[in-house]
Amino acid sequence: MSPLNLDPKKAAPTQWRSLDELAMSPEFQAGLEREFPEGASEATELDRRQFLQVMGASFALAGLTGCDVVRRPKHEILPYNNAPEHLIPGKPQFYATTVTVGEEVMGVLVESHQGRPTKIEGNPQHPSSQGATGKLQQASILDLYSPNRSQKVLKNGASSTWDAFWGGMAPVIDGFRANGGEGLRILSGYIVSPSFAAIKQHILREFPKAKWVVYEPVNRDNARIGLLGAVGKPVDAHYRIESAKRILSVDSDFLESELNHVAHARAFAKTRNPDLGKAGMSRLYLMEARYSVTGGVADHRIRVKPSMIPAALALVARELANQGLTFQSGETQLIDSALSASNGTIAEFSPQLISELAADLAAHRGASLILVGKHQPPLVHALGHAVNRLLGNVGTTVLYKISPTFAFNQDSPASAVAIRDLAADMEKGVVDTLLMIDANPVFTAPADIQFTSHLSKVRHSVHLGGEVNESAQAALWHIPQSHYLEHWDDAISFDGTTSIAQPLISPLYTTFSKSEVLAKLFDYRYRESLDIVKGHWMSRSGALGFEIAWRRWLHDGIIETGALPDSGPGSSSGMDAFLKAHSSSDEGSREGGIELMLFEHPNVHDGRFASNSWLQELPEPITKLCWDNAAYIGPSLAQKLGIKDQIILKNDKGVPMGQYDKPMIKVTRGGHSLSLPAWILPGMADETVVIHLGYGRKKGPGIAEGAGFDAYPLLDKRVGQPLSVQVEVTGSTYTLACTQDHWSMESRPIVREGDLELYERRPNFSADEFMNPHPPLASLWEEHDYSKGMQWGMTIDLNSCNGCSVCVVACQAENNIPVVGKGQVIRGREMHWIRLDRYFTGDVDDPGLVFQAMLCQHCENAPCEAVCPVSATVHSKEGLNEMVYNRCIGTRYCSNNCPYKVRRFNFSNLTNHYSESEKMQKNPDVTVRFRGVMEKCTYCVQRIEQARIGFKNKGNEVIPDGAIVPACAQACPTDAIVFGNINDPKSRVAVLKAHPRNYGVLTELNTKPRTTYLAKVRNPNPAILKLSRSAT
Amino acid sequence: MILRDNTLPRATLVESKSFGEVNEIICAPTNPVRTPKTWHILFLGSLSLLCLLGVMLAYLVWEGTGIWGVNMPVAWGFAIVNFVWWIGIGHAGTLISAILFLFRQKWRTGINRFAEAMTIFAVMCAFIFPSFHVGRIWVAYWMFPLPNSMGMWPNFRSPLLWDVFAVSTYFTVSLLFWYVGLVPDLATLRDKATSKMKKVLYGVFALGWRGANRHWQNYERTYLILAAVSTPLVLSVHSIVSFDFAVSNLPGWHTTIFPPYFVAGAVFSGFALVSTLMIIARKVYGLEKVVTMHHLDNMNKFMLATGTIVAYAYAMEFFIAWYSGNPYERFAFINRALGPYGWAYWIMVSCNCIVPQLFWWKKIRYNLLITFIITILINIGMWFERFVIVMTLHADFLPSSWGYYRPTWVDWLTFLGTFGLFGTFFLLFLRFLPTLAIAEVKGVMPEASPHHGHHHQEALTSGGQH
Amino acid sequence: MVFPRWTNKVPFWLLVTLAVLACSIVFIFWYWGSPKHLEVGYQPQQPINFSHKLHAGQMGMDCRYCHHTVDKGKFAGVPATETCLNCHTQIKQDAPDIVKLREFHAAGKPVPWVRIHKLPDYVYFDHSAHVNKGVSCISCHGRVDQMDVVRQVEPLSMAWCMDCHQAPAANIRDKDLITKLSWTPEGDALENGRKFMDMYHVKPRTDCTTCHR
Amino acid sequence: MEHAKPLGIHQSADGSRLDASDSQIPVKLFGMLAEFASPGEIYEAAKKIRDAGYKHWDVHSPFPIHGMDRAMGIGQSKVGLIAWVGGLLGAGGGFTLQYWVSVHANPFIIAGKPFNSYPAFVPVTFEPGILLTAFGAVFGMFFLNRLPTLYHALFKSKNFHRFSNDAFFVSIEARDPKFDLQATEKLLTEIGGKNIEVVED
């Protein structure tokens, strides 16, 4: 699909010639100037036709709005002047590029329609993607077109120009040439780009006295320090999850928020296939205080108070020692200090549990794995690696390889330290110039160092970023940064895979990449981002045959650099020094009382995605909250605080719903306090409060502003470190938007779950043990014959699905699904075609968690069809439940009659106020729905039809299995969603539908759904089950 | 028949003794001099409510259904509740004029005209909701089978489409029925009229009626046929309305008991409103002589009967839900009574099942004030019955999809507005048309029998001949 | 006496007038309201007087010389200005229209052709799917090779599309002849059509999602 | 006995026509109108007129009088027949439309049901049936009664308007072969008719 770009200099630009014209054309500029940050639910007027005329022929049919059959007024067709090569109007093209979020580097393919990038897909050749993506990568394309983007240079908040900026900075830089960079500070995120690192080297060489500060509020510094202590080399741990039979995760949310989580999720899912049997299927133990999605899939989830987590691991280690593992002296010290570091009594752990756990691990030497969460203190990491080594996992399930990006960042200490040093220098007034490169320290820096107030002491503060955020407003200069799809770049992923990031569109506004800005400021030998990247790699691989290599890199999206060498187990010789540095109590928290844990938000991360409306409206996986964050507390703490929330207390009786007004609580830490709504989350550790960071942007751009509550002021230590707080109920309430009110399955056979023992005893337990008793499903008439031709169907494996929600975002991007805003979500009008249902099972204090993607089931006897008075929803001969928007008159009867309630209605006009730029993201192959029509999952019928036409044009009438992949299946990291022709017995989907775990939801209604599910099978430790049974 | 008329105590049908007096009594309201103040006040009120309705509907068409409280899963809110409520009220008229006619219930003549008018205006109110609740009203005409350049036709399997046909047929036939009944009385007004204007207007609509017996013959046959077809029609309409729910597959909706139970409920609420209005009109216009306590007593007995049927239906629903052993059904009904909308359920039960039982006591049946209050309670209860049924949507099969419905101010004002529509038309009817069927009332007076005063033998024979 | 004798005639004549009125209204909608009338015959003035009759007809250029993506993609493709200049840098440089054309090209401005065949935005028509199954240009666009100024000759209404999707034989021909607008089958057209239908596996679909997505 | 009309009319031999030579303005008669006090009286009167062999005559009353049809000796009404035809057309048309649409015009697969899902077609067969029956009955009645007839000779009479209140009339038309000013007037007087008047056309 992705054509070779011959001359790279031309290749990229010519693709979007018409957009060059567009970007420069006055009316378009005007259109963009007009945009100002505002809520997703508000409207900005636009004139579609004018826009179309600017956009050219290809968009005229792009399906931007609803029906106008009558011809007048006249439409124009604007052809190219010089036609770009490879371009067939109406056929999307795919280009490989790279997305970088913090430390996470992911190779992706970007779908482009006549020069408009519209959708991000995973790059199958890139190890950290393998064809899938994370939700942040999926949603990142919206930032390109966001009306909240920063579009012009600001000086003291007033509109200014680039020339003014260059002119203003030139003397400053000259000054630094004189003093060797005295007082020059450059603050950036973690550096993964070799070419950018080269610029950094250049600057530090030219200005030896300058300092470079690497600051990531959410970082892996603890893991690095711990590894340095345990291994003695600057290595990264590479986990071979696919070959681990027993996994103990110590507060490690490795399926959602840890580095490389997409690849981990895929690998882990492979080990969860119950057909592997007792010997083959993995077992996951997890100790955590919060409730993470990884906790949801765990076989044994052990609730531990934050400050007790180190102790928990230490106890396991000690138990292992008792069972015959011999720790070295340093490591025993680790255990002791871990135990001492945690205040709580270790009595609250059941010793039998610990011993059974340890026994299970010990029984799987070389095939077990200890994972420690990035927020745990270094000594826990060190301990984790020690245990891994003793269990013989190093070399089998854990590999240590020298970190390829270590060199880029080594001259800056750990973020937490670095930012404090910087603040100190600023306070001393020794910082003359501070360049904040694509970072937002004013918002994310710990409150106690008063970064903002010190910033005023800096003479020249410059902020480079994609949006006018807190730092931009506090700085002297703000200069707009181009989106990663607008400039050339490169990145090296932690496993050494290096990839080129090529632009798909020339900058919509006059913006520059961070490389370009620094190159120009500090007079680097290249200026254009293309030259910077190309130049860097030419200097590496030499000019000989470079062009051919370069073209291949662009095509594949990766530069195959040989896999990093395994640096072996290393030695714990540095352990003593490490212990001195880190076992001291400042790391552990002897704080006790009610403990607060601050984490990055799974959707908006540390706040950098807060203005992305897709991610704002995407329900948080566990609580299903959107547009806000909240203080999560367990039921026990709620009762202690006297909070009566019927949702949880009356859970299984009655249906208390529509109660979105949540009680506010005041969380106080030292001088700072924060009032925010309390959300009762079953399964939280007792006496624990969890708050997600990244919300409550004060002067945040656009929709970010006013959404949620800013917890950074409470942060006076590392992110994720337990902080003791006082909590009181304020008495006032706050309205939260939640997309799933009800928590319990009401003991209905919806998500069907069993353990491995049951499965092996009765492979099709899901069908016979759960089905509601019902009379035989006889039909009154001769049923329609679906045995011929291609018949589409889907299976969703509940064992693989971990609820990460990337499918929801992918679907939104592919199908032009509008965002409705908080108010409408509260009214129950969210538009997501995929509702990722989340149910808690069992005891409210320590429940299990299951997810189920609920989307149109394409029932063969679809109840929705019979009741539509105008035949707007009917069945295709290939078994699709078709929804014809332009026939729909909006009686909403179909939704009433849908037992799965998967239909969505355009109650208001959600699509006629897109900004000019937002329209450019829309997929031209899918109608943008208008007010008053119903919509729902179509199995991505546009992809089916394109594939069909493609194959038929080539003369073959059958579409091979796997040629059609719906957006959700494509994005899914765990491959849980499989789509295909159920009439072809060899197709994957047909095989899965024949699988004993396969079952349909509500089949007793004789709806005959085409979407079916594979029952969930956990692999709990029988010994531990026995314990809990005897306990009760 | 005639025999029975003679034996019935006079007070039960018409207290007046002369045709002339009946004329006077019934035509009086159309005389401007006799129009009471209250009429003017009420009319002004209704008119302003009617304007309110117009504004609300305009706002709706402009902004979309988003201004209502409807959501997912409760995609039908007030609109359908009000629709079923109004259409239900509309059933009394036809029932009285058709079914009671077939059963030769002569007391119906005291109220049928009144009730028929009510039917027509109620159906008008009802019609507004299904037509305006759609998302794109400008293409709502796709529900009618019209040839078009898309080659698309409606889906005749959809209960909503059945509604379209049922309700429009019902409206048309009721209108004809009402008008045919009016023709002789319009002639009466024509001949009483003094002003040229009235002579012309009444004259035109009276079609030149001259009471000829050769006309009366066809006329009576027509009336009989209309009654004969309206009877199944009136039963079919609310059955079909109930299909909107019964034909679906939702717990609490998908029940075979709905058609009879909806019809009973419709008659129940219809009679209640007829009594409510009749009690007022009777007082204001002094119609006591033609609308006797006997009429009201009969109405109350009807309410008692239908109310008891409805109560039985509620009980039976619950029983079947339990008996079916279907967990979704069971939950749906327990949730109705104890769930978040339990309050509505209990209002419904107390108004529809408990209150009407008071009518077992003759004293209460004959007490105007209490009757008046009870009839109003019944209509509140019947509105809530529909509310409870529609709200069953809020929790069906998958708990993940459960939601909660809150009406918005627009919902409320639109509902209020329909009372304006009803009131305006109804007051105009009171003011300009004979509120009672003059000819029919005369026809059931003992004096109307050609054998009045003769001895029974001949009465019997001629009675038999008829 | 309120009503004179003649009033007895009124009802009859009223009835007659109403009947006539009703019929004429129906007819008005039926005829003037249909795409057959609204769409067919649309013939806007183009910015440059390009004559298909001259190029495609008399000079016999193949349609695909300019509309070169017709068998590859959704859109037939409006030729880039440079395509015209391939020849017109030699031929007729100084004809006023060519001068105009060069000006557009020099200014880097696209030629604002006026769209004639316009389907609603929610209809996804794919040229390649039809052309590759032997549906000729003529079936939808008529004898463009005889038009000086192109005009719409078919209603392009849904019913019209469905007619062909239900019975395509009449519009299927040898793939090599799809751009031969003057070609007419010798012998039975339907027979000929069926032959190629079998050859090309022409099974037109009538599911909604064939066109609406 | 007082007369509504000038004596001139009496001099003419045949009430229906006056020879052109006559100096008087030519007048055409509609017939004769007589009033009766009660349903009982007019019932008896009707029998007698029937027996006297009159064909073109009628009884006018504020409400239908039981047994009057028999008393007047008029046959069955034809309204029923027309209604019946209407009903058949309605129901037949309704079902045919649905069948044609669902099987031929739009053969869509809907909820897995057969194209001809006749159970679902019952309501829309029933309703048009009812509708056209009602139309047949009402408009058939209008047709049979020749309504609307806004102008009618009887409305010239100064008494007649009371038929819609409490008076009962018999009208005998001049076109009846047995009509004769004196004879008819005599008959009406005998059977107790009051305010007998001759009505011009």
Side-chain angles (χ1 to χ4, degrees), chain A residues 355-433:
Chain A
S355 66
E356 290 296 351
L357 199 168
D360 200 12
L361 290 174
H364 291 80
R365 299 192 179 199
S368 56
L369 177 59
I370 314 293
L371 294 168
V372 179
K374 64 183 170 194
H375 296 309
Q376 288 304 313
L379 72 123
V380 184
H381 283 273
L383 181 54
H385 291 295
V387 176
N388 270 330
R389 205 181 74 253
L390 289 178
L391 285 171
N393 299 334
V394 177
T396 60
T397 59
V398 193
L399 300 179
Y400 298 122
K401 301 182 181 181
I402 298 295
S403 160
T405 54
F406 180 78
F408 301 163
N409 303 279
Q410 68 191 59
D411 48 16
S412 167
S415 291
V417 184
I419 194 77
R420 282 173 194 284
D421 298 351
L422 174 63
D425 290 353
M426 285 156 63
E427 189 170 15
K428 288 201 223 85
V430 302
V431 180
D432 170 88
T433 299

Side-chain angles (χ1 to χ4, degrees), chain C residues 63 117 136-147 150-154 156 160 173 178-182:
Chain C
C63 307
H117 300 89
S136 164
C137 316
I138 196 171
S139 298
C140 308
H141 300 286
R143 292 300 300 273
V144 178
D145 61 335
Q146 296 177 344
M147 300 180 192
V150 179
R151 76 178 179 286
Q152 184 170 335
V153 297
E154 296 292 349
L156 304 187
W160 175 82
R173 59 169 76 175
I178 48 173
T179 58
K180 300 268 175 303
L181 303 190
S182 51

Side-chain angles (χ1 to χ4, degrees), chain A residues 837-848:
Chain A
D837 293 350
R838 173 269 296 119
Y839 298 106
F840 288 100
T841 58
D843 167 27
V844 157
D845 286 312
D846 190 7

Side-chain angles (χ1 to χ4, degrees), chain A residues 76 155 177 293 368 399 552 558 680 712 715:
Chain A
E76 285 182 344
K155 185 174 189 184
R177 291 198 188 292
V293 296
S368 56
L399 300 179
R552 197 181 58 251
I558 56 173
I680 300 176
Y712 276 107
L715 178 67

Side-chain angles (χ1 to χ4, degrees), chain A residues 552-852:
Chain A
R552 197 181 58 251
W553 297 343
L554 289 185
H555 176 275
D556 304 349
I558 56 173
I559 305 172
E560 59 277 50
T561 43
L564 296 174
D566 183 352
S567 63
S571 77
S572 57
S573 53
M575 182 60 78
D576 304 338
F578 170 79
L579 279 167
K580 272 188 202 61
H582 294 287
S583 68
S584 54
S585 60
D586 77 304
E587 275 299 345
S589 11
R590 287 181 198 292
E591 299 200 344
I594 297 179
E595 293 175 354
L596 167 68
M597 264 182 127
L598 298 173
F599 290 109
E600 75 272 26
H601 190 281
N603 297 359
V604 306
H605 201 59
D606 60 1
R608 71 184 67 182
F609 289 100
S611 64
N612 185 309
S613 55
W614 287 352
L615 291 171
Q616 278 281 4
E617 189 147 306
L618 177 67
E620 195 273 332
I622 308 292
T623 59
K624 295 295 165 192
L625 281 179
C626 52
W627 290 101
D628 271 307
N629 62 345
Y632 305 152
I633 57 177
S636 59
L637 180 53
Q639 254 144 352
K640 202 160 160 198
L641 293 170
I643 297 174
K644 295 214 179 0
D645 188 327
Q646 287 166 301
I647 280 193
I648 196 64
L649 300 181
K650 271 175 62 186
N651 192 0
D652 288 297
K653 303 180 287 310
V655 191
M657 279 177 309
Q659 296 148 356
Y660 303 108
D661 298 347
K662 296 300 167 196
M664 297 282 279
I665 58 172
K666 188 150 165 254
V667 181
T668 314
R669 160 90 178 168
H672 299 282
S673 74
L674 169 66
S675 293
L676 76 173
W679 185 269
I680 300 176
L681 177 55
M684 290 268 301
D686 305 342
E687 296 206 309
T688 306
V689 182
V690 166
I691 303 177
H692 280 141
L693 294 167
Y695 269 99
R697 301 283 297 271
K698 299 278 165 316
K699 293 172 276 178
I703 59 168
E705 189 166 347
F709 302 84
D710 180 10
Y712 276 107
L714 297 176
L715 178 67
D716 53 9
K717 290 192 171 180
R718 281 182 297 95
V719 170
Q721 185 170 353
L723 315 163
S724 82
V725 288
Q726 293 76 42
V727 180
E728 58 190 299
V729 181
T730 65
S732 58
T733 64
Y734 179 87
T735 310
L736 287 169
C738 173
T739 60
Q740 188 181 338
D741 291 359
H742 202 66
W743 304 62
S744 139
M745 239 179 309
E746 298 287 334
S747 60
R748 295 177 178 184
I750 299 166
V751 178
R752 303 180 185 178
E753 181 182 357
D755 60 18
L756 189 54
E757 220 157 325
L758 173 64
Y759 175 66
E760 294 193 328
R761 207 169 66 251
R762 317 204 26 194
N764 49 3
F765 71 95
S766 60
D768 22 330
E769 296 215 339
F770 283 87
M771 203 59 178
N772 279 330
H774 62 78
L777 299 172
S779 179
L780 288 175
W781 48 77
E782 193 185 338
E783 304 231 323
H784 188 79
D785 173 22
Y786 287 114
S787 64
K788 286 177 206 58
M790 287 175 288
Q791 295 297 334
W792 307 119
M794 179 182 276
T795 57
I796 299 176
D797 187 343
L798 299 177
N799 228 26
S800 312
C801 175
N802 59 33
C804 73
S805 329
V806 64
C807 49
V808 182
V809 186
C811 176
Q812 188 157 26
E814 169 73 14
N815 292 303
N816 301 336
I817 296 172
V819 168
V820 298
K822 183 182 175 184
Q824 295 292 299
V825 174
I826 289 173
R827 273 224 173 276
R829 296 172 180 174
E830 63 275 6
M831 298 298 286
H832 296 136
W833 285 1
I834 301 177
R835 191 179 66 234
L836 197 54
D837 293 350
R838 173 269 296 119
Y839 298 106
F840 288 100
T841 58
D843 167 27
V844 157
D845 286 312
D846 190 7
L849 180 61
V850 290
F851 288 99
Q852 181 178 44

